[in-house]
Amino acid sequence: MPRSTASSKTPDATAVGTPDTRQRIIAAAKEEFARYGIAGARVDRLAKQARTSKERVYAYFSSKEALYRHVAEQELTALVEATRLDTADLPGYAGILFDHFTAHPEHYRLITWGRLELADSDPDANPLQATIARKIAQLRDAQRTGLLDPSWDPVDVLALINQIATTWAGQPEIAAAAAEYATNTSADARRAALVTAVERLFPRTS
């Protein structure tokens, strides 16, 4: 009697759900949210991209908003690790932020969607708040030790540096114009300009 081959078949890992399935969902969600935002993102579309089912997505994450928060927190952690604040070199910090968002424009879009669409949500649930508070505390410590002019409010310092550093990420239409009309059209020139701007406001002390 021929041996049955049914028992030798390996079940499809994506059908039963594995850590790999979850990682594919997260990777697809990053792309989906960065492109369409939270309201515009479609779970069925990202499930297809992740080679799984809509039901499997909801088995891992209770809602689309919960999936966004998980992805945003991961991206924010990566951002914080890649752009550590050096209070003795705030112009250098601005340059690092520029470099990060130039290399990863999807990070900026992902965080911006959350700012727009979760603006009325609980601030304590926003992972950005803890990061902002920590950086403000670092700037306040720098003022106490003489590294930073104490006449500035640390909140204003952080807001100004972040705004200057993300000028090009937040204004793609101006970036496109710079690529055509600027005297020097290189990205290096844009970076140098913003670092110089921060240097004039908050000179290096290192």
Side-chain angles (χ1 to χ4, degrees):
M1 181 177 180
R3 180 182 298 177
S4 171
T5 59
S7 60
S8 65
K9 290 182 179 180
T10 303
D12 181 3
T14 61
V16 297
T18 66
D20 183 58
T21 306
R22 188 173 187 274
Q23 289 308 309
R24 288 201 310 276
I25 291 170
I26 292 169
K30 288 179 184 179
E31 183 177 334
E32 183 76 9
F33 287 129
R35 180 173 296 181
Y36 300 106
I38 304 169
R42 289 175 48 187
V43 175
D44 55 348
R45 185 165 52 207
L46 75 85
K48 183 177 180 181
Q49 178 69 19
R51 305 194 310 278
T52 189
S53 66
K54 186 176 179 179
E55 292 72 23
R56 178 58 57 191
V57 174
Y58 284 120
Y60 285 112
F61 300 96
S62 60
S63 66
K64 185 167 64 170
E65 290 74 18
L67 176 54
Y68 171 82
R69 289 186 188 281
H70 179 84
V71 167
E73 191 162 359
Q74 277 197 342
E75 294 299 281
L76 182 60
T77 298
L79 173 62
V80 170
E81 288 298 317
T83 61
R84 291 186 178 276
L85 175 63
D86 180 355
T87 54
D89 185 9
L90 296 178
Y93 170 67
I96 290 170
L97 281 175
F98 173 87
D99 292 339
H100 181 82
F101 287 125
T102 298
H104 305 285
E106 72 281 2
H107 288 197
Y108 184 84
R109 293 195 302 269
L110 190 71
I111 292 170
T112 300
W113 280 116
R115 286 179 181 145
L116 293 172
E117 299 189 54
L118 299 177
D120 297 328
S121 63
D122 180 4
D124 293 334
N126 187 341
L128 273 173
Q129 292 302 315
T131 299
I132 291 169
R134 186 165 56 252
K135 289 184 177 181
I136 290 171
Q138 287 179 262
L139 292 168
R140 198 164 271 127
D141 286 342
Q143 289 177 320
R144 282 195 287 266
T145 58
L147 290 176
L148 180 63
D149 183 350
S151 66
W152 286 94
D153 190 313
V155 175
D156 292 325
V157 175
L158 186 62
L160 287 167
I161 293 173
N162 283 352
Q163 189 63 42
I164 293 170
T166 59
T167 294
W168 304 107
Q171 300 186 83
E173 67 283 358
I174 302 297
E180 184 173 356
Y181 300 115
T183 303
N184 183 336
T185 59
S186 70
D188 287 344
R190 307 285 77 74
R191 186 187 195 277
L194 69 86
V195 169
T196 298
V198 175
E199 174 73 34
R200 291 181 181 178
L201 285 170
F202 312 111
R204 291 178 175 88
T205 55
S206 57

